[in-house]
Amino acid sequence: MNSSYQLGDLAVFSVGAHPKLSSAICEYLHIPLGQMEVKKFNNENTFVRILENVRSRDVFFVQPTSAPVNDNIMELLITIDAAKRASAGRITVVIPYYGYGRTDKKDQPRVPITARLVADLLTTAGADRVVTVDLHAGQIQGFFNIPVDELTVVPLLVDYFLKKKIPDLVVAATDVGISKAARDVAQRLNAPLAIVEKRRIGNDDSTEVLSLIGDVKGRPVLTFDDEIDTGGSLVSALGALKKAGATQLYATASHGVFSNGAIDRICGVSDLEELVVTDTVPTDEEKSHPKLTILQSCDLLGEAIYRIHNGHSVGEMFTY
Ligand code: R5P
């Protein structure tokens, strides 16, 4: 970024879920992180106060809606309300990871579409626009009646693996739903695509591998998914790939949600060389593992904020 540009009345705040990423975004933008406080009263009511003037300013609130999901969503809604009542000029919510994104359709009787409900809540609270990263399904953009800039960390992940120069690599989609995005990853890496066909069992987090489409025998494989949550899908996929004759195994995903000891479960797979995600979801430092690499998304988000604030194209960031 050319630091000689005037950023004017731009203000970026960390609502609280990911202060490290929010500070790194501000470093990229050469601006101080905005000051605000978020706390819970004894009765569990959340309280927010923006500690500086935001009247007429172009404000961006950074808050991945990762765990604790409901608290993080509520904090964000209350923050938007506070900013609206403080006469902010424009309110943009920066949600690097959009929680509830997987509840995006009515695929069985009497279930909600929570991804849509959250979109309605954000809009009703007063958000003017959304910046997010690699939604579970691109159609979630349409759940909002306000502009959504969906960024992607795929080029970041691809560049990382291009530099590794792994000969004979095959890219494997960890389920059919992600195969289109995995095809894009494979093309960028100049590698063939394989697809692991999985089935979810009931409404808990269990999955079962049904079959493997494609040939991985004697070749290193890189799995791709939009997110890794419990790691169940990935561990099953790695097992199926190994059984089919894959040599080295690598795994990557945009978002490392990593619930319920997922990092240890995945990194415990002895044939896995490396697990690579980005920092769209905060990761507990204590949970780090020698096989885990976390790439930084601050430049991507910072550049998008810079362009939105200055009325420049965001799409141009991804044309190459
Ligand atoms: C689901 O459709 C997603 O693309 C991921 O495969 C899923 O979120 C992974 O979940 P888990 O790690 O719990 O198997």
Side-chain angles (χ1 to χ4, degrees), residues 16-72:
H18 208 337
K20 197 170 159 196
L21 175 59
S22 310
S23 299
I25 290 170
C26 286
E27 265 174 47
Y28 179 87
L29 291 164
H30 303 295
I31 58 170
L33 183 63
Q35 294 299 300
M36 63 179 285
E37 67 170 334
V38 180
K39 66 178 182 186
K40 248 189 195 174
F41 292 121
N42 288 330
N43 62 4
E44 298 245 330
N45 287 195
T46 297
F47 177 75
V48 165
R49 185 160 180 233
I50 300 168
L51 299 171
E52 59 186 79
N53 176 32
V54 289
R55 189 174 293 272
S56 300
R57 294 176 79 188
D58 191 13
V59 297
F60 291 75
F61 293 110
V62 181
Q63 180 86 329
T65 49
S66 48
V69 181
N70 297 343
D71 273 352
N72 285 341

Side-chain angles (χ1 to χ4, degrees), residues 102 136 174-175 178 198 200 205 207 225-234 259:
R102 284 157 67 187
H136 178 63
T174 45
D175 72 31
I178 199 70
K198 91 174 176 201
R200 284 223 169 262
D205 289 318
T207 58
D225 209 338
D226 58 324
E227 67 173 64
I228 300 168
D229 182 3
T230 63
S233 307
L234 178 55
S259 58

Side-chain angles (χ1 to χ4, degrees), residues 1-318:
M1 194 198 70
N2 184 340
S3 58
S4 66
Y5 286 111
Q6 286 300 308
L7 293 172
D9 55 354
L10 171 66
V12 176
F13 295 85
S14 169
V15 176
H18 208 337
K20 197 170 159 196
L21 175 59
S22 310
S23 299
I25 290 170
C26 286
E27 265 174 47
Y28 179 87
L29 291 164
H30 303 295
I31 58 170
L33 183 63
Q35 294 299 300
M36 63 179 285
E37 67 170 334
V38 180
K39 66 178 182 186
K40 248 189 195 174
F41 292 121
N42 288 330
N43 62 4
E44 298 245 330
N45 287 195
T46 297
F47 177 75
V48 165
R49 185 160 180 233
I50 300 168
L51 299 171
E52 59 186 79
N53 176 32
V54 289
R55 189 174 293 272
S56 300
R57 294 176 79 188
D58 191 13
V59 297
F60 291 75
F61 293 110
V62 181
Q63 180 86 329
T65 49
S66 48
V69 181
N70 297 343
D71 273 352
N72 285 341
I73 290 173
M74 201 62 206
E75 285 177 3
L76 183 55
L77 294 171
I78 294 172
T79 300
I80 295 167
D81 188 68
K84 195 174 65 174
R85 292 176 195 283
S87 306
R90 181 171 67 169
I91 301 168
T92 301
V93 288
V94 181
I95 308 177
Y97 170 72
Y98 189 74
Y100 284 116
R102 284 157 67 187
T103 315
D104 62 348
K105 63 180 106 38
K106 200 173 164 204
D107 53 3
Q108 48 184 307
R110 299 175 297 283
V111 294
I113 304 180
T114 318
R116 166 66 200 244
L117 173 64
V118 172
D120 285 345
L121 290 170
L122 291 165
T123 313
T124 303
D128 294 306
R129 57 186 309 134
V130 179
V131 175
T132 190
V133 179
D134 290 328
L135 289 164
H136 178 63
Q139 294 88 323
I140 293 170
Q141 293 170 20
F143 291 178
F144 291 88
N145 286 326
I146 52 176
V148 176
D149 286 303
E150 183 187 356
L151 314 178
T152 178
V153 290
V154 164
L156 256 180
L157 301 171
V158 165
D159 284 351
Y160 181 83
F161 281 99
L162 274 175
K163 282 186 194 131
K164 286 187 104 71
K165 294 193 170 78
I166 305 166
D168 250 0
L169 186 69
V170 177
V171 171
T174 45
D175 72 31
V176 176
I178 199 70
S179 55
K180 205 164 159 239
R183 152 70 55 214
D184 177 42
V185 173
Q187 261 168 1
R188 289 170 189 249
L189 285 168
N190 201 19
L193 178 71
I195 300 170
V196 178
E197 194 195 350
K198 91 174 176 201
R199 177 172 66 179
R200 284 223 169 262
I201 308 165
N203 283 330
D204 62 14
D205 289 318
S206 315
T207 58
E208 173 191 27
V209 170
L210 296 175
S211 62
L212 173 66
I213 304 160
D215 185 13
V216 297
K217 199 170 171 30
R219 301 180 70 162
V221 177
L222 168 66
T223 66
F224 176 75
D225 209 338
D226 58 324
E227 67 173 64
I228 300 168
D229 182 3
T230 63
S233 307
L234 178 55
V235 170
S236 311
L238 292 173
L241 291 162
K242 190 67 199 168
K243 209 167 145 202
T247 52
Q248 296 157 297
L249 296 171
Y250 298 86
T252 193
S254 302
H255 311 289
V257 177
F258 298 144
S259 58
N260 294 338
I263 296 176
D264 286 338
R265 190 172 310 119
I266 299 161
C267 295
V269 174
S270 56
D271 297 300
L272 180 73
E273 301 284 327
E274 192 176 4
L275 168 63
V276 182
V277 295
T278 70
D279 62 353
T280 53
V281 175
T283 309
D284 210 334
E285 301 282 323
E286 291 158 22
K287 288 192 196 158
S288 72
H289 190 283
K291 286 186 185 177
L292 174 64
T293 301
I294 301 178
L295 305 179
Q296 294 194 338
S297 60
C298 53
D299 290 6
L300 174 80
L301 288 160
E303 180 64 22
I305 290 171
Y306 168 80
R307 284 169 180 255
I308 291 165
H309 175 61
N310 290 288
H312 298 166
S313 165
V314 170
E316 271 173 13
M317 291 168 64
F318 303 103

